[in-house]
Amino acid sequence: MLTVLILRNKFCFVLLFTLFCFSAANAQDILKAYVDTAFKNNIVLQQKNVSLEKAQYALKTAKGLFLPTVALQGAYQTADGGRNIPLPLGDLMNPVYSTLNQITGSTNFPMLENQTINFLPKNFHDAKLRTTVPIINTDIIYNKRIAQQQVVLKEYEVQIYKRDLVKEIKTAYYNYLNALAAVDIYKSGLQLAKEGLRVNEKLLENGKGLPAYVLRSQSEVENANATLLDAQQKVDNARLYFNFLLNRNPNDLILSDTNDQTELAKVEGLLAGLNMTNQREELKVLGQVEGINKNVQKMNSQFAVPKLGAFLDVGTQSEGFHFNANTRYYMLGLQLEIPIFSGNRNSNKLKESNLDLRNAELNSNLVAQQLSLSAKVSQNNLRSAYQTYQSSQKQFEAAATYLRLIERGYLAGANSFVETIDARNQYTSSKILVNINLYKVLTAMANMERETASYVIQ
């Protein structure tokens, strides 16, 4: 029999422990599911992803500048008038041809007419395929590097917004739970007020109460009703904002299965030490900005490097739209550009890029200090919120004990009705305060999680 009791107790302990773990895990799974939903649906995050995709296409464009460019080019021209070049072929050659015909006794040498050649083309076309390829061009090399860094920069910006979104979702979720708990507390307060009204009505019926007490109890019931309606409105507003972050229907139901004590158990560990990390996305962004400015500086410093390119033309040109072996042609060549003087624009641009790089380095140092300060402040805020929560718990315990004693004393005639109202208000206020401070702690934890970048983003 003793063995059976021991086995039963062990089974009950394992069952309760399993249920507790499942409840805590389920609560975290629900919140994580909401975060994943926001990652898919949030409109601002979608805009960030669009910017990232644009940067990726810009990188592909920069890579494409290394490849040959092929284009079909065509031109048609016709004109009349203008300057002419006279060619007196007849005057020059006809005497010679006439003499030759007399000597040979033949007509093998015909007479020629004088010619006139116009400078302007008439009914002339030129159609060709032009292929160009860069050989030496430092600008496109650095533009590709900058485009690659821009892609990484946009990726970090997406990560930063995701962390901000996680914080906003958790804060909105805790605000919703806080509002729900407040509704339950005010409902409990309304029940206490109604019970006070019932007791005073009974006492009045039995000749032991006063009409003023009944009127005051009715006023307390109406006040509790008004407070409850206001709390329910806050629940609706919290639900609207939470669903807005997830880009869902405003009236969608929010699951509220949570285990606050499990979350509170993490506070001591967070307060024990501050886990500072140098892998913050904000610092990585600034590192990328520095890298971009360095490449811009290097690109501007290469202004004296010549640019060399090659081209190949394959086409046809003629008058009268003829196409034959005499009209077809090809042309192969190189193009070289060596800068000599540009009004000091290149040197001024280099100095400007040097200042941009210096400013980026200073900004990195400043932001690193700001992030360190924000993390320490968030830890202090969490410590303050947790201590306030613990203090409000003790205050609530005292208010609950005080209410029980006053209610007993009122029924026994030892305490006045005003004292019961005061005790009831203290009880409700302290219970609300515990609830508010609880979610202040959870919100402070979400804020510290953001400031230390400890949330794992897949």
Side-chain angles (χ1 to χ4, degrees):
M1 185 67 180
L2 181 60
T3 304
V4 173
L5 289 174
I6 293 174
L7 290 175
R8 183 183 299 173
N9 290 335
K10 287 184 178 180
F11 174 77
C12 292
F13 174 78
V14 172
L15 180 61
L16 289 174
F17 180 77
T18 303
L19 289 174
F20 174 80
C21 293
F22 175 76
S23 175
N26 190 34
Q28 291 305 305
D29 290 342
I30 289 173
L31 192 52
K32 185 178 185 304
Y34 281 135
V35 170
D36 293 339
T37 301
F39 284 172
K40 295 178 183 177
N41 299 338
N42 184 265
I43 295 178
V44 178
L45 185 56
Q46 292 178 22
Q47 291 176 327
K48 297 286 185 182
N49 285 323
V50 168
S51 298
L52 172 59
E53 192 171 354
K54 285 179 61 179
Q56 291 171 342
Y57 280 113
L59 174 58
K60 292 180 180 179
T61 301
K63 290 180 178 179
L65 295 176
F66 290 92
L67 302 177
T69 300
V70 182
L72 175 63
Q73 298 178 354
Y76 172 77
Q77 296 174 337
T78 186
D80 199 3
R83 293 180 297 165
N84 295 317
I85 300 177
L87 292 178
L89 297 178
D91 295 341
L92 293 174
M93 302 303 298
N94 285 341
V96 178
Y97 284 178
S98 177
T99 302
L100 290 174
N101 285 332
Q102 291 176 2
I103 294 174
T104 59
S106 67
T107 58
N108 292 333
F109 300 95
M111 297 296 102
L112 300 177
E113 296 182 358
N114 291 330
Q115 299 292 325
T116 301
I117 298 178
N118 193 278
F119 271 97
L120 301 177
K122 187 172 184 179
N123 199 22
F124 175 81
H125 81 276
D126 182 8
K128 61 187 176 183
L129 280 175
R130 165 157 285 196
T131 302
T132 58
V133 60
I135 299 176
I136 300 175
N137 193 329
T138 57
D139 287 350
I140 63 175
I141 295 174
Y142 285 107
N143 278 330
K144 175 191 171 184
R145 294 176 183 175
I146 292 172
Q148 289 173 330
Q149 291 171 318
Q150 289 283 3
V151 171
V152 178
L153 184 66
K154 294 297 181 181
E155 290 175 349
Y156 288 146
E157 288 180 355
V158 170
Q159 293 292 94
I160 289 173
Y161 184 76
K162 281 185 174 181
R163 292 200 181 278
D164 291 334
L165 186 59
V166 170
K167 174 191 169 184
E168 287 296 321
I169 289 171
K170 288 191 173 184
T171 301
Y173 186 69
Y174 294 143
N175 287 338
Y176 176 76
L177 295 181
N178 184 18
L180 278 182
V183 168
D184 292 337
I185 293 171
Y186 286 128
K187 285 181 179 179
S188 176
L190 178 61
Q191 293 299 322
L192 289 175
K194 288 181 177 180
E195 177 63 19
L197 175 61
R198 187 190 66 81
V199 170
N200 281 302
E201 287 176 343
K202 288 293 185 182
L203 291 174
L204 182 62
E205 290 175 3
N206 296 327
K208 296 182 180 180
L210 295 175
Y213 289 173
V214 174
L215 292 175
R216 180 61 186 271
S217 295
Q218 291 174 346
S219 176
E220 289 294 320
V221 170
E222 293 302 322
N223 183 59
N225 269 321
T227 306
L228 178 59
L229 290 175
D230 181 67
Q232 289 172 339
Q233 185 62 48
K234 290 181 179 178
V235 171
D236 292 338
N237 292 339
R239 183 181 66 253
L240 290 174
Y241 181 65
F242 184 81
N243 286 329
F244 164 75
L245 291 175
L246 272 63
N247 195 24
R248 302 194 309 175
N249 187 294
N251 297 319
D252 280 355
L253 180 67
I254 301 176
L255 300 178
S256 57
D257 186 10
T258 185
N259 193 317
D260 303 328
Q261 297 304 318
T262 303
E263 290 297 302
L264 288 176
K266 303 176 183 178
V267 174
E268 296 293 343
L270 294 175
L271 297 178
L274 187 61
N275 184 19
M276 298 293 295
T277 175
N278 293 326
Q279 300 302 314
R280 287 284 298 268
E281 286 82 5
E282 291 86 349
L283 296 178
K284 292 180 180 179
V285 164
L286 294 174
Q288 286 297 312
V289 172
E290 284 187 37
I292 290 173
N293 281 287
K294 286 179 181 178
N295 279 323
V296 171
Q297 179 195 46
K298 292 178 181 178
M299 181 175 66
N300 291 334
S301 66
Q302 300 292 319
F303 66 89
V305 177
K307 292 179 174 59
L308 178 64
F311 71 91
L312 171 65
D313 289 345
V314 178
T316 175
Q317 57 180 217
S318 70
E319 292 185 352
F321 293 98
H322 299 294
F323 182 76
N324 50 48
N326 293 327
T327 65
R328 294 190 293 270
Y329 74 94
Y330 78 90
M331 182 182 295
L332 178 66
L334 298 173
Q335 293 177 327
L336 178 65
E337 179 183 347
I338 301 176
I340 297 177
F341 179 73
S342 61
N344 293 326
R345 290 192 299 272
N346 292 321
S347 59
N348 290 333
K349 188 180 293 185
L350 177 59
K351 293 176 182 177
E352 184 180 350
S353 60
N354 289 335
L355 293 176
D356 288 338
L357 176 59
R358 176 58 179 162
N359 186 58
E361 291 172 347
L362 291 173
N363 194 38
S364 296
N365 294 332
L366 175 62
V367 172
Q369 294 178 14
Q370 290 175 337
L371 293 177
S372 176
L373 175 62
S374 297
K376 294 176 182 177
V377 169
S378 67
Q379 186 186 44
N380 291 336
N381 290 338
L382 176 60
R383 180 179 289 105
S384 175
Y386 186 58
Q387 291 173 349
T388 303
Y389 167 72
Q390 291 177 319
S391 176
S392 62
Q393 275 188 316
K394 296 178 181 178
Q395 182 180 349
F396 171 70
E397 293 171 359
T401 303
Y402 179 69
L403 177 62
R404 288 194 301 268
L405 294 175
I406 292 298
E407 285 181 340
R408 291 176 185 174
Y410 177 67
L411 294 176
N415 295 103
S416 67
F417 178 63
V418 174
E419 288 178 310
T420 63
I421 294 175
D422 178 65
R424 190 182 305 130
N425 289 337
Q426 286 188 30
Y427 175 80
T428 303
S429 298
S430 60
K431 193 171 183 180
I432 287 290
L433 189 62
V434 170
N435 184 66
I436 291 174
N437 289 332
L438 168 63
Y439 288 106
K440 280 186 177 180
V441 172
L442 297 179
T443 301
M445 288 177 64
N447 184 62
M448 185 174 176
E449 180 182 65
R450 171 65 189 95
E451 295 300 334
T452 57
S454 57
Y455 186 86
V456 179
I457 297 177
Q458 301 296 333

